[in-house]
């Protein structure tokens, strides 16, 4: 199964990922300047109403979010950004992580988004033009993230691959682990689909074997994990989570599972590794 941004923009997994990333950004901004590094940035913004909308997943995701009468505080920031992009209402346009983050940067902050696909890189550059503190770069984000992180103090790194390659789980784990080993002040958020627990448990074991001591695992399952060919849920795994991340993730994942899930939906948020949040 692959997970291309453009095919699935605005679905339930985007809500989990983007709400938590915005919370992490706000939390990190409270302690000084922050550089955000996005290894698989995508196009930046997605038209959910045109020919490029390949699926109806957004109707079961962001459309329901925006129609909700009540939203928890941890997910409200995402709803505000969607509303800003759609001033006439609805959710025809959906912001990817580059636009969400760029719109909340301060003069002391920076965003660097990597994109390997040249046509998508062109779209990313266009989306980021209005934001002087945000930049798009071509290339393999896995290869370049470590070097970029080494030039930043305590960066926030988002690893969100399309899972088209069989080594994405390994490369995501290895890249995240290398960054936090080199800089214990860094925070890395890794998004993964949930298809079956064997694959996901292997990913978590690899992080543990790499010596990552503090890991927050936030899962939103829309259905039981009985069909490994289907994305039954998603997880955001946060290395070096800041204080309050567990509560925020519980609020986000709980709302998504309860409001958007099928029979048997649930959320699970827990700390792995040694030690608590800093």
């Amino acid at each position: 199964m692959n997970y291309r941004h453009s095919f699935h923009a605005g679905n339930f997994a985007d809500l989990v990922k983007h709400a938590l990333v915005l919370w992490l950004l706000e939390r990190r901004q409270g302690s000084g300047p922050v550089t955000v590094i996005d290894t698989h940035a995508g196009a930046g913004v997605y038209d959910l109403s045109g020919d490029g909308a390949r699926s109806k997943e957004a109707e079961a995701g962001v459309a329901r979010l925006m129609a909700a009468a009540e939203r928890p505080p941890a997910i409200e920031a995402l709803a505000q950004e969607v509303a800003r992009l759609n001033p006439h209402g609805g959710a025809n346009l959906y912001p990817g992580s580059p636009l969400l983050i760029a719109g909340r940067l301060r003069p002391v902050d920076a965003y660097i988004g990597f994109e390997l696909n040249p046509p998508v890189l062109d779209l990313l550059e266009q989306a980021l033009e209005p934001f002087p503190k945000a930049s798009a770069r071509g290339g393999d984000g896995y290869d370049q993230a470590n070097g970029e992180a080494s030039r930043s103090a305590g960066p926030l790194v988002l690893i969100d691959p399309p899972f088209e390659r069989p080594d994405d789980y390994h490369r995501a784990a290895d890249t995240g682990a290398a960054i936090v080993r080199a800089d214990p002040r860094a925070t890395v958020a890794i998004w993964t689909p949930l298809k079956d627990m064997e694959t996901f448990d292997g990913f978590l074991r690899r992080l543990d074997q790499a010596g990552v001591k503090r890991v927050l695992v936030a899962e939103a399952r829309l259905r039981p994990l009985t069909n490994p060919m289907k994305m039954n849920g998603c997880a955001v795994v946060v290395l070096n989570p800041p204080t309050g991340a567990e509560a925020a993730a519980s609020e986000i994942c709980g709302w998504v599972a309860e409001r958007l899930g099928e029979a048997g939906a649930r959320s699970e948020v827990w700390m792995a590794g040694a030690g608590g949040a800093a």
Side-chain angles (χ1 to χ4, degrees), residues 16-264:
V16 173
K17 170 177 56 185
H18 291 146
L20 188 52
V21 165
L22 285 175
W23 185 91
L24 289 169
L25 174 62
E26 182 179 12
R27 179 68 176 80
R28 293 302 300 272
Q29 286 175 325
S31 57
V34 60
T35 296
V36 182
I37 300 166
D38 196 348
T39 63
H40 297 75
V45 63
Y46 303 94
D47 184 355
L48 305 180
S49 64
D51 293 337
R54 297 293 184 91
S55 76
K56 299 295 183 182
E57 293 181 26
E59 294 181 3
V62 65
R64 292 178 64 181
L65 170 70
M66 301 309 291
E70 297 183 1
R71 295 184 286 257
I75 210 168
E76 183 60 32
L78 174 58
Q80 290 176 5
E81 293 301 321
V82 174
R84 185 178 306 175
L85 195 59
N86 297 274
H88 302 296
N92 288 333
L93 296 176
Y94 185 78
S97 54
L99 207 63
L100 288 169
I101 295 166
R104 292 189 169 233
L105 295 177
R106 305 163 301 176
V108 295
D109 300 327
Y111 169 86
I112 302 163
F114 293 102
E115 176 53 48
L116 187 60
N117 188 321
V120 178
L121 177 61
D122 290 342
L123 295 173
L124 178 62
E125 291 173 341
Q126 294 172 25
L128 293 180
E129 278 182 2
F131 305 100
K133 302 299 293 183
S135 61
R137 299 184 188 175
D140 188 321
Y142 290 129
D143 291 340
Q144 301 192 55
N146 281 305
E148 197 59 53
S150 70
R151 292 186 282 274
S152 307
L156 172 59
V157 181
L158 173 61
I159 301 178
D160 175 26
F163 292 94
E164 294 177 319
R165 298 167 53 105
D167 62 350
D168 269 325
Y169 283 99
H170 287 178
R171 295 190 76 193
D174 293 348
T175 300
I179 289 171
V180 297
R181 283 200 308 263
D183 185 354
R185 301 164 296 175
T187 295
V188 178
I190 306 174
W191 180 90
T192 78
L194 281 180
K195 302 183 291 181
D196 64 274
M197 288 311 299
E198 181 179 356
T199 299
F200 188 60
D201 286 347
F203 169 75
L204 295 180
R205 282 195 302 272
R206 194 172 184 91
L207 288 172
D208 183 63
Q209 292 165 359
V212 182
K213 301 301 183 184
R214 295 176 46 254
V215 178
L216 173 67
V217 181
E219 302 179 27
R221 304 184 186 184
L222 262 61
R223 61 189 68 87
L225 307 184
T226 56
N227 182 357
M229 299 305 294
K230 194 171 186 178
M231 188 169 72
N232 301 297
C234 72
V236 178
V237 178
V238 185
L239 319 187
N240 285 352
T243 301
E246 189 170 0
S250 295
E251 192 170 86
I252 293 165
C253 292
W255 187 90
V256 169
E258 178 183 352
R259 299 293 294 271
L260 307 182
E262 302 172 6

